[in-house]
Amino acid sequence: QKEVEQDPGPLSVPEGAIVSLNCTYSNSAFQYFMWYRQYSRKGPELLMYTYSSGNKEDGRFTAQVDKSSKYISLFIRDSQPSDSATYLCAILRSNDYKLSFGAGTTVTVRA
Amino acid sequence: EADIYQTPRYLVIGTGKKITLECSQTMGHDKMYWYQQDPGMELHLIHYSYGVNSTEKGDLSSESTVSRIRTEHFPLTLESARPSHTSQYLCASSESVEGGGNSPLHFGNGTRLTVT
């Protein structure tokens, strides 16, 4: 069983739509939860991180963590064509401080 | 603008050749990493280093080797390339423990390796 499972997508949405991205994880020892964004032919870059259950907002982005269900989500409001990218969830293992990544979801926002 | 640089961006090479993928960072980070990324698959850690003369193997077994003689430089070498090595290789660095909240990974733009 993979440590982190990410909804595979791809997703194609019209400009202005809400994008919902989801991951589940199996190890309750995970403690930090991150979302990386990767544009085509670029390396991933950190978008958001959180370490507690609940919601964290940053502009149009909201990261949500439910530790009881081992479920994390990223919501993008008022999506823009510039949000077109692959989004990777990543979770830090507390036993060895290494990241486990999801396989990524590719999002295309149509103008 | 990325402060971590990988060369070459693309490499097509024949089976059996020795190759070195270069990675340099200007941020003074002690921690550096090599990940392998295939389409539709998770990033897999293949090597990491926590400082000069320190290298460790990651989660994914790899026939590649790494060295860390200088803080800013973390090259990856394949002694004899094979088609199974075809992949994208991403180098990253961090100030503190990997990705721990306030210490994100900074990635280079990758080297796409094709072995024919």
Side-chain angles (χ1 to χ4, degrees):
Chain A
Q1 182 186 6
K2 293 180 180 179
E3 288 188 313
V4 180
E5 297 271 7
Q6 183 167 359
D7 289 352
L11 295 178
S12 179
V13 301
E15 185 174 356
I18 296 175
V19 177
S20 173
L21 304 168
N22 306 294
C23 291
T24 58
Y25 62 95
S26 57
N27 189 339
S28 59
F30 288 165
Q31 60 177 82
Y32 276 108
F33 307 90
M34 283 149 278
W35 287 93
Y36 279 79
R37 178 175 60 194
Q38 185 174 21
Y39 290 115
S40 180
R41 289 184 286 278
K42 298 288 188 181
E45 57 180 350
L46 182 68
L47 185 61
M48 293 187 71
Y49 74 89
T50 183
Y51 56 86
S52 58
S53 282
N55 294 350
K56 180 177 182 180
E57 284 194 21
D58 184 0
R60 296 183 294 108
F61 299 88
T62 299
Q64 187 176 81
V65 175
D66 182 347
K67 288 188 177 181
S68 62
S69 302
K70 299 189 181 68
Y71 195 84
I72 66 172
S73 299
L74 178 71
F75 300 98
I76 308 173
R77 290 186 301 280
D78 188 25
S79 57
Q80 303 295 310
S82 59
D83 296 326
S84 298
T86 298
Y87 292 81
L88 305 162
C89 61
I91 307 178
L92 188 69
R93 307 190 297 245
S94 59
N95 57 335
D96 62 0
Y97 289 98
K98 297 294 183 292
L99 283 175
S100 291
F101 282 89
T105 302
T106 298
V107 175
T108 301
V109 181
R110 309 185 305 272
Chain B
E1 189 69 29
D3 294 321
I4 182 162
Y5 306 97
Q6 291 187 243
T7 57
R9 285 298 309 274
Y10 302 94
L11 179 62
V12 180
I13 201 162
T15 298
K17 299 292 186 183
K18 178 180 178 179
I19 60 169
T20 296
L21 307 184
E22 301 289 347
C23 176
S24 295
Q25 50 100 1
T26 59
M27 296 170 282
H29 289 167
D30 286 328
K31 317 296 189 289
M32 295 191 74
Y33 314 86
W34 277 101
Y35 284 87
Q36 193 169 329
Q37 184 179 35
D38 294 305
M41 301 292 289
E42 303 84 359
L43 269 72
H44 287 293
L45 181 66
I46 51 175
H47 297 284
Y48 63 98
S49 167
Y50 284 168
V52 171
N53 294 325
S54 157
T55 61
E56 301 286 345
K57 290 188 179 296
D59 299 331
L60 184 67
S61 175
S62 174
E63 294 167 341
S64 58
T65 59
V66 292
S67 63
R68 189 86 182 277
I69 298 173
R70 302 197 314 267
T71 297
E72 62 272 22
H73 194 214
F74 191 39
L76 181 146
T77 298
L78 275 166
E79 290 293 333
S80 179
R82 293 208 299 269
S84 60
H85 296 138
T86 294
S87 186
Q88 170 150 271
Y89 293 84
L90 288 165
C91 182
S93 72
S94 66
E95 184 175 354
S96 184
V97 295
E98 182 175 339
N102 293 321
S103 179
L105 292 178
H106 296 265
F107 283 91
N109 289 328
T111 293
R112 182 162 295 282
L113 172 66
T114 302
V115 183
T116 60

